[in-house]
Structure formats: C-alpha cells, structure tokens
Amino acid sequence: MQNSLNLEGVEQQALKEYTENAYLNYSMYVILDRALPQIGDGLKPVQRRIIYAMSELGLSASSKPKKSARTVGDVIGKFHPHGDSACYEAMVLMAQDFSYRYPVVDGQGNWGSTDDPKSFAAMRYTESRLTPYARSLLQELEQGTVDWVPNFDGTMNEPVVLPARLPNLLLNGTTGIAVGMSTDVPPHNLNEVASAVIHLLDNPKATVTHLMKHIKGPDYPTGGELVSSVDDIREIYKTGSGTLRLRASYKIEGSDIVITSLPHQISGSKILEQIAAQMRNKKLPQVDDLRDESDHEDPTRLVISKKRGVDVEELMSHLFSTTSLERTARVNMNIIGLNGRPQLFGLVELLKEWITFRKVTVKNRLSHRLQIVSDRLHILDGLLAAYLNIDEVIAIIRKEDEPKPVLMKRFKLSDIQTEAILNLRLRNLAKLEEMKIKGEQDGLREERKTLEKTLGSVARLKTLIKKEILEDAAAYGDPRRTLLVQRDSAQALDETQLVSSEPVTVVLSQAGYARAAKGHDIDPATLSYRSGDEYLASAQGRSNQLAMFIDSTGRVYSVLAGTLPSARGQGEPLSSRFRPPDGAAFCGTMIGANEQKYLLASDAGYGFIATLSDLVSRNKAGKAILRVPAGGVAVVPAAVPEESECLIAAVSSTGRLLLFEMEDLSELSKGKGNKLINIPGKKYQSGEEKMTAATVVPEDGNLLVFSGTRMMTIKWDDLDDYYGDRALRGRMLPKGWRKVERLVGARLTRE
C-alpha cells in the first residue's frame, strides 16, 4: 500500500520561483555586503570591520602593536563570520604600501613584497596597529555621526559606515567582483583630491574639465608613468569607465638603462623573466646583460645593459610593447551610493555624492555635540541653583525622606538636574565650585552659539568642511608619485631588428628544402643534398633580412633568414613552414634590403622588375605576386645589381638567347609583366618551347650559361651577338649548349 505524503502546514513554492529568489538574494548579498565599497568611507564590509575592531582593541597609531591573529580573531568572532585567511588577506592588503596609496594598517613583520604580494607571513607571526591616516576614518565615530546596527548574532553593535573626513574611495581606490558587476577605482593623490573637493564646494556647477585642473589623473602607489592622453582620462572621469595605460619609468646611467619604478601590481621578477626569455630565444640582440640591483634604499632598480650603438628609445619602446613594463589598467567606478544601490559614478557625481555624505556627517556631529552642550548647561543651571541655596538644599535632604520631589518643586528643577544635585560629593560644595560652574557655563554657551550658527548657515558649514579637509591634507598628504606623461603607443621592433646581422647564403634545393649557410664565400652546388635531390637556387644577404621564396604558381613567402636551419644539415622542407597550393613547387629564393630589386618571370616568357618590400608576406599561404598562365611555372628569380646600366638575358628551351636593355622592362608590384622573349604558341604543354631561365647581367659583366654539369662563359664584348629588342626570338646558342638549365649574370673579373 502506497503511503501519501502529508503536506499540511508546509509552505509550498514553485522551484522556478524558489531558485530565482535564492539566487537574487545571494547576488544582492555579494553586491552590497561583500564586493562593492560604500561611497561614504570607500570600504567594503570586511575592511570596515577590521578597522573598527582594531580601534576597539586600542590599536591606534601611537599604541603598541598586537599580534595580527588577535585582530583577526576579534573580527571574525564579533563582526565578520567568515574564514580567517580571507579576513587576514584583506588586512594585509590595507598594510601594503605598494597596494594601498595611503595604508590604513601599520604592519610589523613580513607583509609581502612587490615581487610576491602574497608572500606575507602567517598572522601568528606578524603584528599590527592602525596608521595615523586611519584617524581620518575613525576620528568622529563616537560623535553621533553614523548609524549603528546589530552584529551578526545581535550581541553588540557595529557602524554601518565609518565617518570618513576624506574621500577615501578615491584616495586608495578598490577592486571587487560581484555577481554581474565589478568595480575598479584607481587611487589618487590626497592633495589633488582635497583641492578638487574644495573647488566643488565653492563651485557646485563645476565640470570634469574644471576638476581636472586639480586632479590630473590617478596616482598609483608604485609610481611609474601614466601615459594615457588627457582626452582619454577626461572621458574616463566623465563616464566612470575606461582603460588607462601605465608604464615603468627609467633613467640612463652610462650604457645602462635603469628601471626605477614599475606599473601598479607588476613585479620586478616578472619583468626580468620576460626580458630573459627574449634573450634566451635570441630575440633581443641589443641587450648584453640583465641585473636586479633592488634593495631597501632602491626598492625597484632593474639594470639593462645595452650594446653599443643601440637606440635607447627604440629598445625601450620594444620592451614596453612586449613585456609588462607597460600595462593597461581598467577603470569601472561601480559604487554603492547613499541610496544603498550600486551605481556607475563619474568623477563629478562621485565627489558630489561624497560631499553630501560629508555634510550629513558633519551636521550629525554638530547636532550631537549641541545636544551634549545643551544637556550639560541644563545640569549646570540646576547645580548653580543648588549652590546659591546650599543651606536650604542641605536642610531638605537631611529632613525629608524623599528629598527629590521636594527639591524639584521648591527650586523648579527637572529630574536630571535633581539627580545631579543629589549625586554631588561633599568636597564639591566648596565656594570655588560655584566659580567653576559659572566659567564652564560661559564656555558652553559660547560653544552652543557657534554650533547653532554653523548648523543654521550653509556657508559656515562649507567653511568648516573645507577647513577640516585642508587640515587632514596637511597631515597626511604627500607629493604625486605617478608621473603624467603623454606618450605614443609603444611599438615592438620588427623581427629583422631582433636578430644579429651576419652574412648568410640562403640555399634552396629542387625538392623544396631550405637552409642558410654563414658567409658569402661558399659554393651552394657543392653542399650535401638528400638522395635524389640537388641544388636549385641561392641568394646572398644577411641573417636579419627576410628570405623570400617563390613557388611555381607565382606566390611569394617570407621567413627571417636567421631562423632557417644551418647549412651543416640538409635543410628543412618549406612545406612545414608555409601552405603552398596543392601541386605547387618552390622555384627560387630572394633576399636583401627592402629596396633590393629582383627580376621575376614565368616560363611563358613574361616578367617584370619587383622590389622586395612589395613582396613581403606574413601569411603562411603567401602572397600572389607573379601571374603565371595555366600550365606554366615561375623561373628562378635574379637579383638586380645597383647599377642602372644592366641587360636582361632570357633563354628558351630550344636554346634561343636574347639580351635587351633592362630599362625596357616595367617595374611592378605584382602582375603578369611584359614579354621578355618571344615564345610561339599560347598553350604550355609538355614538349613545347618555354623560357627556361632569365637573369640580369651587370655592366661589363659576364653571362654564365649552365647546361648539366658544364658552364660556358659569354664575355661582355661577345654579348652583342645576342643583343636585340625586348620580345624578340633571340639567337641560337652554339650546338651542345642549347639545353640551358641556368643563367647567371656575373661581374667581370679584371686582371
């Protein structure tokens, strides 16, 4: 028999509604009670509870510090029922002068370092107390300034917010991640913020531009440079969100570059690792040595020894671009406003909201003090009445069983006044006490008059607030640490600048294997090749130049020559570095300065002069440069000498050789080009005539004709036999030399 579940008296709710409400409650808890700061004191709940607990323990700046474990125990036992490690970490953050612009906790012992902020000692080993700056947060706490609420178990009260005399939120900044939102408020300089607040008090309609005459930008505790433009900073202050660019600062000492300060939250050890990694990978030939000379006197001193002749600005621009010497810092000023709701604040709105908080706080303090003064004057009036009739008062007290109501009726006293009289000690009945009472009355009446005037006057209230802000700025303010410098974005050096410059010969085999041999005095044809493979082409250049390869379809590919394998081996297949079209084969190689020119041609007899800078491609699929007809292939490119008086030599598969003036050939960045030599027919099929090779012959140079393993030299004076106009058929070579594989133009060696 199935038992039915009795749900009588049990509240029922749809699962969708339950989960939605539960998640919503959790989200609001994280937003309001954990992750986001209050605009009044700029603190999150755990930070506020730590500071309040330390004040309750008597850990002021002038007192002897106590073990941090004692403070953490009080915080989690009385106010913050969470983990001790999380609470201690929040406490450590407020003690680190490289994390907080104006630290609130004065720590003794190991509290971490810029290299490793989480390397602090356990709380049982460290001691702590509050800093003098903490007084600006706590000074008015017991003066009726803020509301109090019961703690988590209802056994005691804690402040909802601390009565901050300064806009601590802007001074120390904060970061936090809630549910669906986050906050990143950068720290600022106290003197600048104080000046801006005073300006806004005097000019409530001030704009961001006006305030930026006082607040130039964020001021991070580790110094460095803020290199964002003024327009970018202004936009961030207008909207409350954006991105800042922070950069390390450096100086020159002889041939050394000395990093003296780092961007916020960047460690020196991380920077050294990043630079050392580039040096190990031979990506930073400009640097000779790297040292960390940081000590207690110079917390940040990273020394970079550069090589002679290296441009410092170029090198540092590269390091800023490729390491954490420059970083971006996010700004997102999501803050819980006075209405208890999270909101994105701009600079003007934030300061206005804080000024409203400060005005309310000061009014509460003055009203609280006025009440105390009024109550004391009321008591003093009763005491003075008693002193003026002391004999009668004493008689009533001695005779009456219940003297209190009799005294109240006889001298028209209140209950409080009568209690004060009855609690008087005999020693206070001296004649001198009457004079003290009158003196105290005069002083309190003057104070009451001042308090009432201040509370009744907007101008007096503003003056008081400004005076207190200036006092605190003089007590805790310091010069700006982060320099404001507008700089262009850092640019990484081109990869050709990041390798040493040595002469190399790039060698390409017929099977598409490439390598780089050191020097220019080698014969590539004599190198060792794989079985069935042999030499195809070579080009001379430097290791920091781009080696370019052209395939049979006319696509060009680029790679840094210094990254090619050594000629001690047999090279590596270019197909492992690039992605040529299916069926394409590599036909030649080029290398040189950007302005170096090469002759590019197809076996259809068409070609043009190209400049290497137009051929560069970072794409593995290469760049289409030479338009090759269907069925055709590109021939080996030829370097163009610097001399303008050069001849173009082209030879066909039937042995026809033609030479013509290079100036008759167009210079293009890509395309089919002009006709070099007349090749009959329009289809390119096996067995038909094609152009097999083309080269450039320098003035007074020789033409080397290669046929198999044999080489024939045609001297400059004999080239006239083959000279003609571009696009002619050319003249037949001697018998036995008509199967030409390669042409090379070489300078004539003179005796």
Side-chain angles (χ1 to χ4, degrees):
M1 183 176 178
Q2 188 177 6
N3 294 326
S4 60
L5 187 63
N6 185 11
L7 298 177
E8 186 179 350
V10 177
E11 181 183 353
Q12 298 185 49
Q13 188 177 11
L15 181 61
K16 177 180 179 295
E17 293 179 8
Y18 172 78
T19 53
E20 185 177 321
N21 291 334
Y23 183 73
L24 213 60
N25 291 337
Y26 167 73
S27 301
M28 293 308 297
Y29 165 73
V30 173
I31 291 170
L32 300 178
D33 292 325
R34 187 187 296 181
L36 299 189
Q38 291 278 354
I39 199 165
D41 56 12
L43 299 172
K44 301 176 188 178
V46 64
Q47 296 170 327
R48 185 179 304 113
R49 287 161 177 166
I50 290 169
I51 295 170
Y52 176 62
M54 292 182 76
S55 71
E56 289 294 286
L57 286 170
L59 296 175
S60 65
S62 58
S63 66
K64 184 180 178 182
K66 292 181 180 178
K67 286 287 185 184
S68 301
R70 172 77 181 277
T71 299
V72 172
D74 263 33
V75 173
I76 64 176
K78 294 179 178 178
F79 310 111
H80 198 71
H82 296 275
D84 59 346
S85 59
C87 179
Y88 183 49
E89 279 195 31
M91 182 178 176
V92 167
L93 188 70
M94 293 192 290
Q96 293 175 335
D97 58 3
F98 51 85
S99 297
Y100 254 45
R101 182 63 179 83
Y102 299 95
V104 184
V105 176
D106 178 15
Q108 296 189 12
N110 177 12
W111 290 78
S113 65
T114 52
D115 282 343
D116 188 2
K118 293 190 178 293
S119 62
F120 49 84
M123 57 185 169
R124 60 182 177 275
Y125 298 122
T126 61
E127 295 182 339
S128 56
R129 60 184 174 184
L130 294 170
T131 61
Y133 172 79
R135 192 167 182 269
S136 69
L137 299 170
L138 296 163
Q139 187 173 342
E140 301 171 355
L141 186 59
E142 302 296 338
Q143 299 178 23
T145 49
V146 295
D147 295 329
W148 295 71
V149 293
N151 68 339
F152 65 91
D153 61 2
T155 57
M156 58 184 65
N157 291 329
E158 61 175 314
V160 173
V161 64
L162 297 182
R165 290 165 57 100
L166 294 167
N168 179 64
L169 179 61
L170 268 186
L171 300 182
N172 277 320
T174 190
T175 61
I177 300 175
V179 178
M181 64 178 64
S182 64
T183 183
D184 287 278
V185 182
H188 291 76
N189 183 272
L190 196 159
N191 291 328
E192 293 181 5
V193 172
S195 179
V197 171
I198 290 172
H199 179 81
L200 194 57
L201 278 165
D202 292 333
N203 305 276
K205 294 184 179 180
T207 64
V208 169
T209 303
H210 296 141
L211 294 186
M212 283 187 66
K213 293 178 180 178
H214 305 272
I215 300 177
K216 308 296 183 183
D219 186 22
Y220 292 90
T222 52
E225 294 180 352
L226 176 57
V227 297
S228 296
S229 68
V230 174
D231 291 339
D232 288 344
I233 298 173
R234 184 183 295 111
E235 189 62 25
I236 288 172
Y237 282 152
K238 278 183 180 179
T239 62
S241 64
T243 303
L244 296 168
R245 286 194 300 122
L246 307 177
R247 185 178 288 187
S249 55
Y250 66 93
K251 61 182 179 180
I252 307 298
E253 293 183 359
S255 62
D256 293 338
I257 303 169
V258 181
I259 309 295
T260 55
S261 64
L262 296 171
H264 191 224
Q265 296 178 334
I266 296 298
S267 70
S269 59
K270 180 179 180 181
I271 297 295
L272 294 175
E273 287 174 10
Q274 292 172 335
I275 298 176
Q278 293 190 40
M279 293 173 68
R280 281 195 305 271
N281 295 330
K282 298 182 179 179
K283 293 285 185 70
L284 208 58
Q286 296 91 336
V287 176
D288 260 341
D289 190 25
L290 193 62
R291 302 188 303 277
D292 185 358
E293 297 181 356
S294 306
D295 54 27
H296 290 292
E297 292 184 3
D298 297 306
T300 301
R301 183 178 170 84
L302 309 180
V303 182
I304 302 171
S305 296
K306 65 179 182 64
K307 290 183 178 178
R308 184 178 298 176
V310 171
D311 187 285
V312 173
E313 288 192 5
E314 278 191 1
L315 173 59
M316 290 308 298
S317 180
H318 172 75
L319 292 177
F320 287 138
S321 177
T322 58
T323 70
S324 297
L325 285 172
E326 179 175 313
R327 65 172 287 250
T328 57
R330 194 164 64 97
V331 178
N332 187 30
M333 296 197 284
N334 264 323
I335 306 158
I336 299 175
L338 297 180
N339 58 4
R341 296 179 179 179
Q343 180 181 337
L344 187 64
F345 284 87
L347 180 64
V348 175
E349 294 76 21
L350 191 154
L351 288 180
K352 281 185 176 179
E353 188 95 344
W354 183 83
I355 288 173
T356 301
F357 165 81
R358 184 61 189 155
K359 285 180 179 178
V360 171
T361 303
V362 172
K363 283 182 179 179
N364 289 344
R365 186 189 79 203
L366 296 178
S367 299
H368 179 73
R369 178 59 186 168
L370 181 60
Q371 186 62 48
I372 292 174
V373 169
S374 299
D375 290 347
R376 181 60 181 166
L377 281 172
H378 181 64
I379 291 172
L380 290 176
D381 288 342
L383 292 177
L384 188 60
Y387 279 114
L388 293 175
N389 302 277
I390 190 66
D391 293 334
E392 188 177 354
V393 168
I394 292 173
I396 291 173
I397 293 172
R398 292 184 64 188
K399 293 178 181 177
E400 298 292 335
D401 293 334
E402 295 290 338
K404 184 175 181 179
V406 178
L407 288 172
M408 291 175 65
K409 183 177 181 180
R410 170 66 183 83
F411 299 107
K412 298 180 180 179
L413 300 174
S414 67
D415 184 89
I416 295 175
Q417 289 174 319
T418 308
E419 280 293 333
I421 292 170
L422 293 174
N423 289 331
L424 275 175
R425 295 180 180 180
L426 291 175
R427 64 189 300 174
N428 292 333
L429 298 178
K431 181 67 176 175
L432 193 61
E433 285 299 318
E434 182 182 339
M435 298 174 60
K436 286 183 180 180
I437 289 173
K438 289 182 177 180
E440 186 178 352
Q441 278 181 323
D442 292 340
L444 290 176
R445 286 193 182 105
E446 187 65 32
E447 184 180 355
R448 181 172 64 181
K449 184 179 178 182
T450 302
L451 290 170
E452 288 174 344
K453 282 184 178 180
T454 304
L455 284 168
S457 168
V458 174
R460 283 176 177 267
L461 187 67
K462 283 185 181 179
T463 301
L464 177 61
I465 292 173
K466 288 191 289 186
K467 177 186 174 184
E468 292 174 348
I469 288 174
L470 289 173
E471 287 175 356
D472 287 349
Y476 313 121
D478 59 0
R480 167 175 277 278
R481 297 180 190 175
T482 301
L483 301 176
L484 291 158
V485 188
Q486 282 191 239
R487 300 191 189 277
D488 296 331
S489 298
Q491 298 292 327
L493 292 173
D494 187 85
E495 61 179 352
T496 59
Q497 298 174 272
L498 297 177
V499 295
S500 57
S501 178
E502 299 174 349
V504 293
T505 301
V506 178
V507 181
L508 176 66
S509 75
Q510 290 188 357
Y513 283 76
R515 46 187 153 166
K518 288 185 178 180
H520 293 163
D521 55 351
I522 66 162
D523 183 1
T526 62
L527 294 176
S528 171
Y529 294 88
R530 284 173 172 76
S531 176
D533 195 8
E534 58 184 19
Y535 169 75
L536 173 63
S538 63
Q540 294 179 345
R542 305 197 72 82
S543 57
N544 65 339
Q545 293 174 335
L546 289 174
M548 301 184 190
F549 301 91
I550 186 169
D551 70 13
S552 55
T553 66
R555 300 187 74 85
V556 176
Y557 310 81
S558 306
V559 65
L560 198 64
T563 65
L564 291 172
S566 168
R568 295 191 186 96
Q570 294 175 330
E572 69 174 29
L574 291 176
S575 57
S576 66
R577 290 182 179 245
F578 310 123
R579 294 197 301 270
D582 293 340
F586 288 95
C587 298
T589 181
M590 301 168 280
I591 189 172
N594 288 336
E595 61 275 8
Q596 173 69 53
K597 299 182 186 301
Y598 266 81
L599 169 63
L600 303 182
S602 69
D603 64 357
Y606 287 84
F608 58 89
I609 303 297
T611 305
L612 286 186
S613 59
D614 294 329
L615 311 183
V616 176
S617 170
R618 306 294 181 185
N619 195 334
K620 285 189 175 184
K623 182 178 182 181
I625 299 295
L626 177 65
R627 191 161 73 244
V628 179
V633 296
V635 299
V636 176
V640 176
E642 294 181 2
E643 297 87 345
S644 59
E645 299 293 333
C646 296
L647 297 177
I648 301 292
V651 65
S652 72
S653 57
T654 59
R656 289 185 175 274
L657 175 65
L658 174 68
L659 285 98
F660 60 88
E661 298 291 340
M662 190 181 74
E663 62 185 23
D664 293 340
L665 194 61
S666 300
E667 291 190 19
L668 303 173
S669 59
K670 63 179 180 178
K672 180 180 179 181
N674 305 127
K675 183 179 287 189
L676 276 61
I677 187 171
N678 188 14
I679 303 294
K682 296 183 179 179
K683 296 182 180 179
Y684 304 96
Q685 298 176 356
S686 177
E688 291 188 356
E689 184 178 354
K690 300 175 183 177
M691 187 180 77
T692 56
T695 192
V696 182
V697 183
E699 187 177 9
D700 291 334
N702 297 333
L703 177 63
L704 308 181
V705 181
F706 290 85
S707 178
T709 59
R710 299 179 303 156
M711 181 188 77
M712 176 178 65
T713 302
I714 305 177
K715 295 184 178 180
W716 179 262
D717 295 336
D718 298 329
L719 292 177
D720 289 342
D721 296 339
Y722 302 95
Y723 183 84
D725 293 332
R726 180 180 62 80
L728 294 180
R729 284 284 287 153
R731 185 177 175 183
M732 293 293 291
L733 286 164
K735 287 184 179 181
W737 293 95
R738 293 177 181 174
K739 192 176 181 180
V740 178
E741 297 175 357
R742 225 169 12 115
L743 292 178
V744 176
R747 188 169 301 284
L748 179 64
T749 303
R750 299 191 181 274
E751 298 272 334

